[in-house]
Amino acid sequence: MDNPEQLIRKGVHHERFKENLVKVALGGLTWGVVLVALLIFGRICWDGMPVLFKPHFPFIDIAFLTERTQTLHVFDDASGVRHSLPADQYHAWVDQHGAGALFNEMSYSYSGGGIAGPIVGTALLTLLSTGLALFFGVAAAIYLSEYAKQGRFIQWVRLAILNLAGVPSIVFGLFGFAVFVLAAPVFTGTPVDRTLLAIPLGFTYLSFQGWNSSLIAGSATLACMILPVIITASEESLKAVPQGFREASLALGATRWHTIRKCVLPFALPGILTSSVLSLARAAGETAPIMFTAAVAAKDTMPWEGEGGILGTFQSQVQALPYHIYTLAARIPTSDYTERAQYGSVFVFLMMIFLFSTVSIILRNRVRSKLKW
């Protein structure tokens, strides 16, 4: 007859073996994902850092960050020396030496100059869309959490908001194109022919003719896309504030809005800023929504240099790094001459996301450090 104590020990050893096996399997999957991510980001950094950083002072390729995107011209001169020049330097070289001095000429679109236009466009789209989404998202969260009568209808509204978070970005792009580009209302003295409705106001018209493809249309589309995340995270942050704060404030005679503004929102702010970190990264990285509403592949001027001055910035099309990278990767044949623009753009894009997220995290930590429960 087997000793019962030995049977228990055998069972313990068997269970410990299975537990270790599960631990090894889960650990292997986790570290496998980390390894793949490190390989991808390592390749981007390995090829992108030499484009942005230089071994001599000022150690950063300022021209790549400040010059505008141009076509790269590659050619041989009469002595067989190969040149690779952006469009402005190429035209100056041709004016000096003549077109007859060019041999074996090839050109690569969007691969010369720098990426100042996409950097500026990405920053404007990200900051404006996040600002719009935070304003409307926090307002909606305050209403749902503090004012709305809780019931089945509000539960359906919350469910609809959660479902919106899973809608593909290309759908938001088509939504933005239909609503903001073609049908949004504007004040104009002369409505265009394709306007859906023009309401005369005496001194002007309220015309539903859309904002055309522009910075404001793209920002509004991106704001709609990140709105569900901000509403949900903001409402959860508001609910996490102890009810006693509200009751004490109301007992002292404060109004509900004063209570929300002074006693609830400051303590919910770290959670709201956390949602803004996630939203910043998503708004900056999306390509599909801005393809239909705001982005262009090439543009010779900055957004504020067109007609209308500073106010015209909102009505101008912009370049954006995600769309610029898509254009370089999908529409331009890859070669040694285009890799500089491709890997440099991706590396700068990652640095921008890292910068935006770092600023938001620092701001959140500073706000959180000032709060004492």
Side-chain angles (χ1 to χ4, degrees):
M1 181 177 180
D2 295 334
N3 187 347
E5 186 176 349
Q6 292 180 346
L7 288 176
I8 293 174
R9 288 179 178 175
K10 288 180 179 177
V12 169
H13 290 316
H14 185 64
E15 291 299 324
R16 184 174 298 170
F17 174 76
K18 288 199 299 185
E19 188 172 342
N20 289 334
L21 188 63
V22 171
K23 179 182 177 182
V24 170
L26 295 177
L29 291 173
T30 303
W31 290 112
V33 172
V34 173
L35 179 62
V36 171
L38 287 176
L39 289 174
I40 295 174
F41 287 106
R43 173 68 190 278
I44 293 172
C45 293
W46 181 263
D47 291 321
M49 289 178 67
V51 177
L52 185 61
F53 298 110
K54 300 297 178 185
H56 48 76
F57 185 81
F59 306 109
I60 296 177
D61 191 347
I62 302 296
F64 186 69
L65 297 177
T66 57
E67 290 184 356
R68 298 171 189 186
T69 306
Q70 301 179 49
T71 298
L72 181 69
H73 295 269
V74 180
F75 59 91
D76 297 330
D77 59 17
S79 58
V81 178
R82 170 140 294 200
H83 299 266
S84 56
L85 302 175
D88 54 353
Q89 297 180 25
Y90 166 79
H91 293 304
W93 195 94
V94 172
D95 292 339
Q96 181 179 358
H97 298 86
L102 300 174
F103 301 94
N104 303 321
E105 182 182 5
M106 294 175 290
S107 61
Y108 301 92
S109 301
Y110 320 122
S111 300
I115 54 172
I119 291 175
V120 170
T122 301
L124 290 175
L125 283 169
T126 303
L127 295 177
L128 189 56
S129 62
T130 305
L132 289 172
L134 278 174
F135 177 77
F136 289 104
V138 173
I142 291 174
Y143 173 75
L144 293 174
S145 174
E146 306 294 331
Y147 288 98
K149 184 178 180 181
Q150 304 302 316
R152 191 178 297 274
F153 177 72
I154 294 298
Q155 290 179 357
W156 288 347
V157 171
R158 289 196 179 96
L159 182 61
I161 293 172
L162 288 174
N163 288 332
L164 274 179
V167 173
S169 58
I170 188 70
V171 177
F172 279 104
L174 295 173
F175 166 80
F177 179 76
V179 174
F180 299 117
V181 176
L182 298 179
V186 296
F187 291 101
T188 179
T190 309
V192 298
D193 295 336
R194 61 174 176 79
T195 182
L196 300 178
L197 176 65
I199 302 175
L201 300 177
F203 59 94
T204 187
Y205 284 88
L206 178 61
S207 176
F208 292 82
Q209 62 188 41
W211 299 335
N212 299 319
S213 179
S214 59
L215 172 64
I216 186 63
S219 300
T221 305
L222 289 173
C224 292
M225 193 185 64
I226 62 179
L227 203 53
V229 176
I230 290 182
I231 292 176
T232 305
S234 300
E235 189 180 2
E236 293 300 322
S237 300
L238 292 169
K239 288 180 179 177
V241 178
Q243 189 65 22
F245 286 24
R246 301 174 177 81
E247 294 172 353
S249 177
L250 294 173
L252 291 174
T255 62
R256 177 174 288 190
W257 171 240
H258 191 270
T259 299
I260 293 170
R261 192 162 54 89
K262 294 293 185 180
C263 301
V264 179
L265 267 181
F267 292 96
L269 197 54
I272 296 173
L273 290 177
T274 300
S275 67
S276 72
V277 174
L278 303 174
S279 303
L280 273 171
R282 190 179 181 195
E286 287 293 342
T287 305
I290 60 175
M291 287 173 61
F292 303 107
T293 55
V296 290
K299 191 176 182 187
D300 295 331
T301 59
M302 291 295 179
W304 53 83
E305 293 177 342
E307 297 180 358
I310 297 297
L311 293 179
T313 301
F314 299 100
Q315 298 176 338
S316 68
Q317 290 182 303
V318 294
Q319 291 180 282
L321 273 173
Y323 190 62
H324 182 65
I325 294 169
Y326 163 76
T327 304
L328 290 172
R331 299 186 178 181
I332 307 299
T334 301
S335 70
D336 294 338
Y337 300 103
T338 59
E339 283 188 352
R340 169 183 174 273
Q342 291 176 2
Y343 283 104
S345 301
V346 174
F347 182 71
V348 171
F349 184 45
L350 290 179
M351 291 296 101
M352 285 189 66
I353 299 294
F354 178 75
L355 178 64
F356 286 153
S357 300
T358 302
V359 170
S360 298
I361 291 172
I362 292 174
L363 184 62
R364 180 193 63 185
N365 291 339
R366 290 190 62 179
V367 172
R368 182 178 291 172
S369 65
K370 295 179 180 178
L371 299 178
K372 295 182 179 179
W373 296 71

